[in-house]
């Protein structure tokens, strides 16, 4: 009798000091900071995800709730998607934080998971994510650069972008 073990995800190596740009790596770690300039949210079409929206007045009610109109779908709707952007600095399990800085551009689902369960409003609750454990996130290493200005010899900055295709799986 054969016993077949199936693994649902491909084996993704953890981020290492010698990981090269373009590699897909997995990252597990604690959030040690956020890039506030990247922390924002915007309304997007709930049908196609497009952010090219116009505001319209609901014609059928006298309420002041704005209606959004998607120029792509040519549809109006009341509740848009709350799309979010957030880059987090993390201390990675596979690399000591004193060795390098790691920045991850997170995808929507990971941001939602990370934020407290209150409306997902960014900007004011950023400190509440500090110390939280995230991952494993599957990311593409977009750059790895040695900082010359910095006097720490091994200060390497890794910039990663999460692969949203993994996170969008049901
Ligand atoms: Zn649309």
């Amino acid at each position: 009798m054969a016993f077949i073990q199936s693994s649902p995800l491909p084996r993704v190596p953890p981020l290492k000091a010698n990981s090269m740009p373009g590699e897909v790596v997995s990252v597990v770690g604690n959030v040690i900071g956020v890039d506030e300039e990247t922390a924002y949210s915007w309304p997007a079409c709930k049908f196609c995800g497009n952010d090219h929206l116009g505001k319209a007045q609901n014609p059928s009610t006298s309420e002041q709730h704005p209606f959004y109109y998607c120029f792509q779908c040519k549809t109006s709707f009341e509740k848009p998607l709350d799309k979010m952007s957030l880059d987090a600095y993390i201390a990675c399990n596979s690399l000591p934080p004193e060795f390098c800085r790691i920045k991850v551009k997170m995808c929507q689902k990971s941001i939602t998971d990370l934020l407290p369960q209150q409306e997902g409003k960014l900007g004011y609750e950023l400190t509440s994510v500090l110390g939280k454990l995230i991952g494993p996130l599957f990311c593409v290493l977009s750059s790895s650069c040695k900082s010359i200005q910095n006097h720490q010899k091994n200060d390497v900055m890794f910039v990663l972008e999460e692969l949203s295709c993994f996170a969008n799986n049901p």
Side-chain angles (χ1 to χ4, degrees), residues 45 47-48 50 70 72-73:
C45 172
F47 302 110
C48 70
N50 189 353
C70 173
Q72 182 122 332
C73 303

Side-chain angles (χ1 to χ4, degrees), residues 92-153:
C92 189
N93 285 1
S94 56
L95 281 172
E98 60 272 18
F99 176 70
C100 61
R101 300 186 74 199
I102 301 161
K103 184 160 105 163
V104 181
K105 184 177 179 56
M106 295 165 69
C107 76
Q108 179 88 20
K109 186 181 176 297
S110 301
I111 300 171
T112 320
D113 289 350
L114 188 64
L115 287 173
Q117 294 295 337
Q118 37 169 320
E119 284 298 296
K121 285 278 172 272
L122 287 166
Y124 302 100
E125 302 293 337
L126 289 179
T127 49
S128 66
V129 307
L130 296 181
K132 284 205 180 175
L133 184 68
I134 56 171
L137 304 180
F138 300 105
C139 305
V140 177
L141 182 59
S142 40
S143 73
S144 142
C145 53
K146 300 207 176 208
S147 154
I148 327 159
Q149 303 97 311
N150 201 313
H151 289 296
Q152 283 172 288
K153 237 195 260 173

Side-chain angles (χ1 to χ4, degrees), residues 43-44 53-57 66-70 75-80:
L53 303 181
K55 275 197 182 170
Q57 210 63 31
F67 255 56
Y68 291 87
Y69 179 81
C70 173
T75 320
S76 57
F77 47 89
E78 194 173 359
K79 288 212 169 86

